[in-house]
Amino acid sequence: MRPVLLLPLAALVLSGPALAQNYAQPLPGDPMATAASGRGNYGGGFIEMLMTGRDPTPMGRGGAVYNRPGAYATYGRSTQPAAYPADPFEPAAQPRAPGRRMAALGQPAEMERPIERVIDPRFRKQEVAYDGPQKPGTIIIDTPQRFLFLVQPGGRALRYGIGVGRPGFSWAGMKTVSRKAEWPSWTPPAEMLKRRPDLPRFMQGGPENPLGARAMYLGSSLYRIHGTNEPYTIGQAVSSGCIRMTNDDVMDLYERVRVGAKVLVI
């Protein structure tokens, strides 16, 4: 039987440096490279770990890959500058802004829809006492208080909330209802088109029409009592002189008022 020659593992390492795979080449300035300079150089990687019991990478091969510094990839090979990457869960740790809903990963979520604007309850239709000189069937428009009164028999009146002319467009006087129209069309007057050239020259009646569901024309003027597609403007001074009401209220008033009725604007 021939004798079997056993070569020490260290001899393989020393006689053939090229046989050892270089799994880790620390970057310049790596503190671990300085610490290892006084110890034997076994080529790094798996061979060095067998010979010295030391892990050739700073974090150790058994560490979780997700927590390695940026200078070392899964097997210790340098892939990017030595820096910890941004924590993907860091936004979730940010304090929530007061009053804002937070979506997944802590990102602020915008409101799904704007806050709904509602009419002040005092501008809802209601019956009130009336002891003035006007006869039943007369309309009284109180511009400063934003109310329209329809005088009723027996010292009563129906009171509606209205929108009135903005500063510079309010007016006062006595008019009569000269015409009534359901779902009226709208032709902006020339004066309005000069101020607002973007307006259409004509708009067919319907829910999108700014005159709303009903209109009562006042004498030969350009003014009307009409509905609106912007009910949240009731109680405000926003029009070009017309008196606007909610569509429900103007439809109710329309059925109660006849052509020729007096309209007192104060």
Side-chain angles (χ1 to χ4, degrees):
M1 178 181 295
R2 295 182 180 181
V4 178
L5 297 178
L6 298 177
L7 295 179
L9 184 59
L12 292 176
V13 175
L14 295 176
S15 61
L19 297 178
Q21 297 184 25
N22 185 7
Y23 283 98
Q25 288 294 335
L27 294 175
D30 190 336
M32 296 304 296
T34 303
S37 59
R39 306 172 188 177
N41 179 13
Y42 296 98
F46 181 71
I47 300 300
E48 181 169 341
M49 184 175 66
L50 286 179
M51 300 302 298
T52 66
R54 298 191 304 268
D55 191 332
T57 63
M59 297 301 296
R61 296 177 61 87
V65 173
Y66 308 109
N67 296 327
R68 291 185 184 276
Y72 293 90
T74 304
Y75 293 102
R77 197 175 302 278
S78 176
T79 57
Q80 56 182 334
Y84 284 91
D87 187 348
F89 299 101
E90 185 177 357
Q94 299 295 330
R96 297 187 179 187
R100 302 190 69 181
R101 292 174 56 244
M102 305 295 285
L105 299 181
Q107 299 300 322
E110 298 300 328
M111 300 198 61
E112 297 174 2
R113 58 181 181 179
I115 298 174
E116 296 181 358
R117 293 171 283 188
V118 297
I119 302 175
D120 190 317
R122 66 192 179 98
F123 294 120
R124 300 291 185 184
K125 172 192 169 185
Q126 55 186 292
E127 189 176 60
V128 297
Y130 174 75
D131 59 358
Q134 303 301 326
K135 296 180 179 179
T138 302
I139 294 174
I140 303 171
I141 295 174
D142 186 342
T143 301
Q145 299 300 319
R146 317 287 200 262
F147 289 125
L148 181 151
F149 298 87
L150 176 61
V151 180
Q152 301 289 292
R156 308 295 292 176
L158 294 177
R159 190 183 77 182
Y160 305 84
I162 58 174
V164 298
R166 62 183 183 272
F169 290 86
S170 59
W171 57 281
M174 181 70 80
K175 298 291 183 181
T176 58
V177 176
S178 56
R179 185 165 72 92
K180 297 167 61 177
E182 299 183 8
W183 295 106
S185 60
W186 181 45
T187 302
E191 296 86 345
M192 184 177 290
L193 289 174
K194 288 181 180 179
R195 298 190 304 269
R196 293 282 309 277
D198 58 308
L199 293 175
R201 271 44 183 176
F202 175 81
M203 182 177 287
Q204 189 65 44
E208 301 301 320
N209 193 302
L211 297 185
R214 302 289 187 272
M216 287 157 275
Y217 296 79
L218 304 181
S220 59
S221 71
L222 298 176
Y223 301 128
R224 290 153 289 209
I225 300 171
H226 62 78
T228 181
N229 56 6
E230 297 175 321
Y232 50 83
T233 61
I234 299 303
Q236 302 182 38
V238 293
S239 77
S240 295
C242 288
I243 307 303
R244 60 176 64 178
M245 309 173 68
T246 66
N247 281 336
D248 287 343
D249 284 353
V250 78
M251 292 170 69
D252 182 80
L253 181 67
Y254 185 93
E255 298 300 326
R256 298 174 184 272
V257 172
R258 61 179 179 81
V259 173
K262 291 183 179 181
V263 179
L264 176 62
V265 180
I266 59 176

